[in-house]
Amino acid sequence: MKKLTTLLLAAGLVVSSFTGAQAGEFKPNLQFAEEFTYGDSGKDSPENFNAATRIRFGFDYVASEDLSATILFQYRHAWGTDTKGDFTADPTMNEGDGANHFRMRLAYIDWTIPGTDIKARMGRQPLVAPSYAFGSAILDGRGDGISLTSAINDNINVGFTWARLDSSDANGESFDSEDDADAVMLNAEFAYDGFKVAPWVMYAHADKEGLETVKPEGSILFGRDNHAADAFVIGASAELNMFDPFVFALDALYSNAKLHNMPAGAEDSFDGFYVAAKASYKFSNGTAGFGGWYSTGNDEEAKNDNGFVLLDPAFGASTILFGDNIIGVDGYNTLFNNDSPFGTWGLIAEYAGFSFLENLSHTARVVYVQGTNDKDADRDLFMTPTEDDSFVEVDFNSTYQIYKNFSATLELGYVFVDQSNLDGADEQDDIFRSALTFVYKF
């Protein structure tokens, strides 16, 4: 904790220096989250109890409407581990329940190119591919790069992003020009009264070993080591709200990946598509929603990859199977392919934000999921669910606003697993997860 205390003191000194200078507006950002979880998924992951702390602290410094800077640190600690308070600089946060982590979460400059309406952002920043339904199946996280955005008129916005995904070899050595991985994305949004449409296209390239360590956030590009590769994604999202309180949302994409220097006869080209739709109706006491999605899967035993590009997806259709939880230090988040719906189809019905008592709100959800991978594909239950695997998840989450900046959330979820085609010794047990999380932020 000495290192963390030193950093907090240093942040305080920075605050004081900026405040005294009166050169601009200083906006501090601080969040504490304490999470207690209990889960049980039988032989796949025995029942366990976990407790963890997550702290985010940083600030925005706004010199003017044309120039500002943002910095945000994050520290996460699983209780009972590394009691001396030491922590690693690993940015992935995927080293297991016992790992403690300190990292730079965000660090970027926002500025307007003089004489234009073009907004530039440089540094570690949020990277998001458009999505209006359940969250991006490709990219919704943080990474290092440059983004440019501009309003063509009141209805049309365009954007360009270049991200340096990786610049290290398989041993973690940096600045190896033969092991770089990059992505560029062009996107636009056409927003009018009653509807909006967001088309986008992404191209990604990785050199010979870049695929092994491509990030951000510990995710993979398309899962093959020691081969250069190219991939592109074409996508579009649409939202229709002219019939408000009815709102309809649609996401669709096509992805294609090409691996180079593969052995003769080996599969070197992969592609797939994904489509999702959601309809919602807002009542005076909550919002009802219904929707679904479909994604292609692996269709041959020897074809272990369906070609989708996974950078840092944030598909949040459920709490357990797709990791839509607050901290998730217990191993029950991201059970399906890095928060990705690829290789599955599903239906969802939910009622969100309803309340019977002041300051207490609830969300109830039922999700049905089935794999789209061929039954002869290499089986990994939560990475490659097959056509013979199905799941029903029931979630009930409640949030109580204790004080203005302090809340408590109780997440309860249960997954019914159906693998009746397998021998009883191989069949996965049902899964239960509960989490009580206290969040203080200002």
Side-chain angles (χ1 to χ4, degrees):
M1 287 299 292
K2 290 182 179 179
K3 295 181 180 179
L4 181 59
T5 302
T6 302
L7 285 168
L8 289 170
L9 289 173
L13 291 174
V14 172
V15 171
S16 300
S17 64
F18 278 130
T19 303
Q22 296 295 319
E25 184 180 5
F26 178 83
K27 299 179 179 179
N29 185 345
L30 181 62
Q31 180 190 106
F32 282 81
E34 309 289 351
E35 183 177 81
F36 308 91
T37 66
Y38 171 79
D40 184 6
S41 60
K43 54 183 174 293
D44 181 69
S45 177
E47 63 182 69
N48 62 85
F49 171 80
N50 289 281
T53 295
R54 187 188 70 190
I55 304 172
R56 292 176 178 171
F57 61 98
F59 61 87
D60 297 326
Y61 185 70
V62 182
S64 70
E65 63 179 10
D66 294 319
L67 178 62
S68 65
T70 295
I71 188 168
L72 184 66
F73 299 94
Q74 176 168 299
Y75 171 69
R76 193 189 74 167
H77 170 69
W79 291 16
T81 64
D82 199 1
T83 55
K84 294 180 180 180
D86 297 331
F87 42 78
T88 72
D90 186 346
T92 66
M93 295 187 67
N94 289 324
E95 291 187 352
D97 299 341
N100 299 330
H101 303 272
F102 174 78
R103 62 173 178 161
M104 178 76 71
R105 182 175 173 85
L106 296 173
Y108 59 83
I109 299 171
D110 282 331
W111 59 289
T112 302
I113 298 177
T116 74
D117 293 326
I118 300 175
K119 306 289 185 180
R121 176 171 290 180
M122 303 186 302
R124 177 157 295 180
Q125 59 187 278
L127 298 176
V128 182
S131 172
Y132 297 149
F134 301 108
S136 175
I138 294 288
L139 176 62
D140 188 348
R142 290 149 300 282
D144 302 321
I146 298 173
S147 61
L148 304 172
T149 58
S150 180
I152 303 301
N153 54 41
D154 292 341
N155 304 108
I156 303 174
N157 288 277
V158 296
F160 168 82
T161 300
W162 164 67
R164 169 49 59 96
L165 302 175
D166 194 35
S167 185
S168 60
D169 61 20
N171 297 317
E173 299 295 330
S174 300
F175 308 115
D176 188 334
S177 61
E178 294 184 352
D179 298 309
D180 295 337
D182 299 90
V184 294
M185 181 174 67
L186 292 171
N187 64 282
E189 184 177 68
F190 302 84
Y192 298 90
D193 289 340
F195 74 95
K196 58 182 179 179
V197 179
W200 57 282
V201 61
M202 178 188 296
Y203 167 75
H205 172 79
D207 287 322
K208 65 175 184 178
E209 291 183 357
L211 294 176
E212 187 167 349
T213 55
V214 164
K215 301 177 180 72
E217 304 302 320
S219 301
I220 58 174
L221 189 55
F222 17 94
R224 299 301 180 112
D225 300 337
N226 301 316
H227 295 284
D230 293 281
F232 70 87
V233 185
I234 299 174
S237 295
E239 183 179 276
L240 183 67
N241 55 27
M242 64 177 59
F243 304 110
D244 187 55
F246 279 107
V247 177
F248 303 91
L250 177 70
D251 292 335
L253 64 86
Y254 170 79
S255 179
N256 182 280
K258 176 73 173 180
L259 304 182
H260 305 296
N261 304 318
M262 294 287 287
E267 196 74 37
D268 64 356
S269 182
F270 310 93
D271 63 357
F273 72 88
Y274 157 81
V275 62
K278 184 178 182 180
S280 61
Y281 184 89
K282 188 173 183 178
F283 295 91
S284 59
N285 186 25
T287 302
F290 179 80
W293 71 90
Y294 179 86
S295 164
T296 53
N298 303 332
D299 56 8
E300 298 174 11
E301 183 175 1
K303 197 170 184 178
N304 297 323
D305 196 334
N306 54 22
F308 289 105
V309 180
L310 296 177
L311 297 181
D312 190 12
F315 183 84
S318 70
T319 300
I320 298 178
L321 294 177
F322 295 104
D324 184 26
N325 45 54
I326 298 175
I327 298 182
V329 296
D330 51 7
Y332 288 82
N333 61 326
T334 67
L335 290 184
F336 270 155
N337 210 10
N338 293 311
D339 281 349
S340 166
F342 300 146
T344 70
W345 71 269
L347 296 172
I348 177 173
E350 67 178 12
Y351 193 55
F354 64 96
S355 177
F356 301 107
L357 297 174
E358 185 178 4
N359 298 325
L360 179 62
S361 62
H362 312 276
T363 293
R365 179 190 300 128
V366 179
V367 183
Y368 175 84
V369 181
Q370 186 165 341
T372 59
N373 300 289
D374 188 271
K375 63 181 180 180
D376 293 325
D378 288 350
R379 176 187 290 275
D380 183 326
L381 180 63
F382 293 117
M383 297 294 285
T384 315
T386 74
E387 298 168 339
D388 291 332
D389 301 325
S390 64
F391 312 84
V392 176
E393 178 173 347
V394 180
D395 297 331
F396 189 83
N397 304 327
S398 302
T399 298
Y400 179 60
Q401 198 69 38
I402 302 173
Y403 298 112
K404 180 180 179 181
N405 299 317
F406 185 53
S407 65
T409 298
L410 176 63
E411 298 174 313
L412 300 173
Y414 194 94
V415 179
F416 300 90
V417 180
D418 182 3
Q419 294 182 295
S420 55
N421 59 305
L422 294 180
D423 180 84
D426 298 324
E427 185 175 356
Q428 163 69 22
D429 290 341
D430 292 345
I431 302 169
F432 169 74
R433 178 185 186 270
S434 60
L436 178 61
T437 308
F438 297 88
V439 177
Y440 174 49
K441 59 183 177 180
F442 61 90

